[in-house]
Amino acid sequence: ATRVFDRTRAALLTDETYDVVIDTVAGPSLEQHLELLRPNGRYVLCGGAAGPPGPDAFTPLLRNIHKSPTLIVFSLNSLEPQDLRRSWKRVTTLLREDRLSPVLDSRFPLAQADSALRHVEFGRPFGKVVLLPG
């Protein structure tokens, strides 16, 4: 990625457009994010931490049909186990080589798992939420 937008810490930048938008959160903001696509842009929806989008969320696809936007929906559940293992091996190799850094939102003690789940449920995290033992 050449630019990462943290929707929890900044206002939506509507004066810029993008070739690709990867959305791991979905929710009510999906419609606004579809508007950020350049002509022939691709919108990849691969998560739903903020819940389902509103009833008119995909209206921009039709309103901007002359720009040929593409919607791609992707779930890891659709991959075969051997493909997941191969991808995981690649990710762990990149981590060992210090070529990949996970984004960590927050850490919670295991005793506060309920708070961690509420944090995730409301689409607040930007990155991983980790439960710590003991």
Side-chain angles (χ1 to χ4, degrees):
T2 56
R3 175 127 194 232
V4 175
F5 171 71
D6 177 357
R7 69 176 84 202
T8 67
R9 293 181 174 88
L12 185 62
L13 304 173
T14 56
D15 59 335
E16 294 186 54
T17 58
Y18 303 91
D19 294 316
V20 179
V21 173
I22 300 174
D23 187 355
T24 61
V25 180
S29 300
L30 191 140
E31 182 176 354
Q32 292 173 288
H33 297 133
L34 280 169
E35 295 285 0
L36 299 175
L37 291 176
R38 289 184 183 137
N40 299 301
R42 291 175 178 86
Y43 192 91
V44 181
L45 180 58
C46 56
D56 297 322
F58 298 102
T59 300
L61 291 175
L62 292 174
R63 183 174 45 247
N64 297 317
I65 198 164
H66 62 283
K67 294 181 180 179
S68 299
T70 301
L71 171 66
I72 301 167
V73 180
F74 174 72
S75 171
L76 288 174
N77 294 335
S78 67
L79 296 177
E80 295 294 325
Q82 64 269 19
D83 294 328
L84 289 170
R85 283 191 291 278
R86 188 174 28 256
S87 291
W88 182 244
K89 184 177 179 182
R90 178 73 178 132
V91 167
T92 56
T93 299
L94 291 170
L95 283 168
R96 275 194 309 278
E97 295 172 352
D98 287 327
R99 295 175 52 205
L100 185 64
S101 302
V103 177
L104 180 63
D105 176 83
S106 53
R107 295 179 174 106
F108 288 85
L110 188 55
Q112 294 178 12
D114 57 335
S115 297
L117 287 172
R118 278 194 299 281
H119 184 68
V120 171
E121 177 184 11
F122 294 110
R124 294 183 183 135
F126 183 75
K128 296 299 178 188
V129 175
V130 177
L131 291 174
L132 301 169

